[in-house]
Amino acid sequence: MEALQGLAYGFGVAFSGHNLLACFLGVLVGTIVGVLPGIGPIGAMALLIPSTFAMGPTTALIMLAGIYYGSMYGGSTTTILVNVPGEAASVVTAIDGYQMARKGRAGAALAVSAVGSFVAGTLGIVALMFFAPPLAELALEFGPPEYFALTLMGLILLSRLGGGSAVKSFLMVGFGLFLGTVGMEPISGLPRFTLGQLELGQGVELVPVAMGLYGIGEVLMIAERITGIPQMIKVKFRELFPTVAEWKRAFPPMLRGGGVGFLIGLIPGPAAILSTFTSYALEKKISKHPEEFGKGAIEGVAGPESANNSATAGAMVPLLALGVPFAPATAMLLGALIIHGVQPGPLLMTQQPEIFWGVVASMYIGNTVLLILNLPLVGVFASILRLPQHLLMGLILLLCLVGTYSVNNSLLDLYILIGMGGVGYVLRKLKFDMAPLILALVLGPMLEKTLRQSLFMMRGDVWAICVRPIAGTLLLIALLSIVLPPVIHLIKRK
């Protein structure tokens, strides 16, 4: 009952004029970002964080969250019509979505994708609404040792679940933690790694680092590629209606994808990507016609597209209830909250309920707007790919420079932006995943602060932290995630 009362209050917040506009702009930008390959929701949020400085924290979070879940809708459009995934979470959709388009069923694939995203996204929001409040109440029992263990576990699990080389992931975490130590030491107030620059005493800002890695880095990567205009399969509005048989085959995967996606969203890691692979594997395994997968099975579109949208709602639970992001995109949302002077955590719902319930209600509204936008305007969004790349990249470069300078009116931030742009370009060439770096930069100060507080509480006894039930369990999970994969790999080799 309290959840329904909170939701009613949230709709009162979300239906105010400026919050509705922010929600619409967020999902619109998210859809465009999903269509355009390379930029991604993290880069888009980094670009637009400076534009939220004139907004209140609720309005800012509503817009940035709209970009996050809106990008999941847009990614399927170009994946199905052009076989160019706009988002990493849409890679799995390309397997069957493009094959359906080649068979003349592009409209059905797009409709199932949009409706599945809406159904699963709505289910995810309902689960978020009932899941987060009790989790926040449980988190009130957490002390510094538990928050230290939770933060450390999140960092390690993200590095192990992100795919690719574990060594590369840990290097990125280490680099992010190092950047997070620049500035004033939190206990004594002494400067660290400031190189004599007074401006670095405040620490390295999230905005220039994220904009440099994702914005400038992507501009440099695209500048060295020469790509032609992709061949697009055209779809008429009257073709956006699947047959009754297709609806019957698609609806159960939508529900299963919604459940799988939400649960995976609660786990540290790239939830939207992991959920699509898991959903696709599940649908293929339980299907009566597994031989159709890879050749245009509608279940291969409905399941993954539903899963990635539900995963975004699941990933919001630890952010809003615990104040700890378990995914790179939610780390950007946490950074935005901190920039706006909001202290995230379990007290957010009681001290600033307009933020929590306003965002939850706006996600209902945003999902409805996305469904309306993504069906009749599918051709318009797909045609964005035909924009000259040099104009698009020039605009992104301008936004990076202006947005970074507007944060503190500091030339040092511009130097960091340019330097991180070069770093981002090199990391992309070397196939490094930059998400752990961003997460470590955001969580690093929290990790250090809670560790220092824990050591003060335990009078320097590290073992006393490990034997606390919750903290010890979380630390054990983190340790097993490091030890088990190489052991299992060694056993398989032998």
Side-chain angles (χ1 to χ4, degrees), residues 132-305:
L135 184 60
E137 290 181 13
L138 175 64
L140 291 174
E141 305 297 324
F142 281 25
E146 284 73 25
Y147 269 105
F148 164 71
L150 180 66
T151 308
L152 183 62
M153 184 195 72
L155 279 174
I156 292 175
L157 281 181
L158 177 65
S159 303
R160 298 302 294 124
L161 295 176
S165 168
V167 175
K168 289 182 175 180
S169 294
F170 283 129
L171 284 174
M172 289 294 94
V173 169
F175 187 31
L177 291 175
F178 165 71
L179 291 176
T181 61
V182 175
M184 292 293 182
E185 194 270 326
I187 304 298
S188 65
L190 294 174
R192 300 182 300 190
F193 310 116
T194 58
L195 303 176
Q197 298 287 329
L198 290 176
E199 289 176 304
L200 279 178
Q202 298 179 351
V204 176
E205 296 281 352
L206 172 67
V207 172
V209 173
M211 280 189 173
L213 291 175
Y214 286 93
I216 305 293
E218 184 65 25
V219 168
L220 293 175
M221 285 296 292
I222 290 178
E224 72 174 20
R225 294 199 301 260
I226 301 175
T227 55
I229 296 174
Q231 294 296 316
M232 191 181 307
I233 296 173
K234 295 184 179 180
V235 181
K236 296 179 181 178
F237 183 73
R238 65 175 178 271
E239 297 173 353
L240 292 171
F241 296 99
T243 63
V244 175
E246 286 173 330
W247 279 123
K248 287 182 178 179
R249 289 181 59 178
F251 194 68
M254 291 180 191
L255 299 179
R256 286 192 291 267
V260 167
F262 183 80
L263 293 175
I264 291 179
L266 300 174
I267 302 171
I273 302 171
L274 290 174
S275 64
T276 56
F277 282 95
T278 305
S279 175
Y280 189 84
L282 173 65
E283 294 306 324
K284 188 175 182 180
K285 188 169 185 177
I286 66 176
S287 174
K288 296 179 181 178
H289 306 283
E291 70 282 354
E292 293 183 12
F293 281 75
K295 300 176 183 177
I298 198 165
E299 297 91 337
V301 176
E305 281 300 310

Side-chain angles (χ1 to χ4, degrees), residues 25-26 31 121 128 200 222 240 242 289 300 304 316 336-337 392 394 425-426 456:
L25 289 176
T31 303
L128 162 65
L200 279 178
I222 290 178
L240 292 171
H289 306 283
M316 296 290 283
L337 280 175
L392 188 62
Y425 172 75
V426 173
F456 273 119

Side-chain angles (χ1 to χ4, degrees), residues 396-416:
I396 291 174
L397 189 60
L398 180 64
L399 285 172
C400 287
L401 293 169
V402 174
T404 297
Y405 187 74
S406 66
V407 176
N408 294 315
N409 295 332
S410 169
L411 286 174
L412 180 63
D413 284 349
L414 290 180
Y415 297 147
I416 294 174

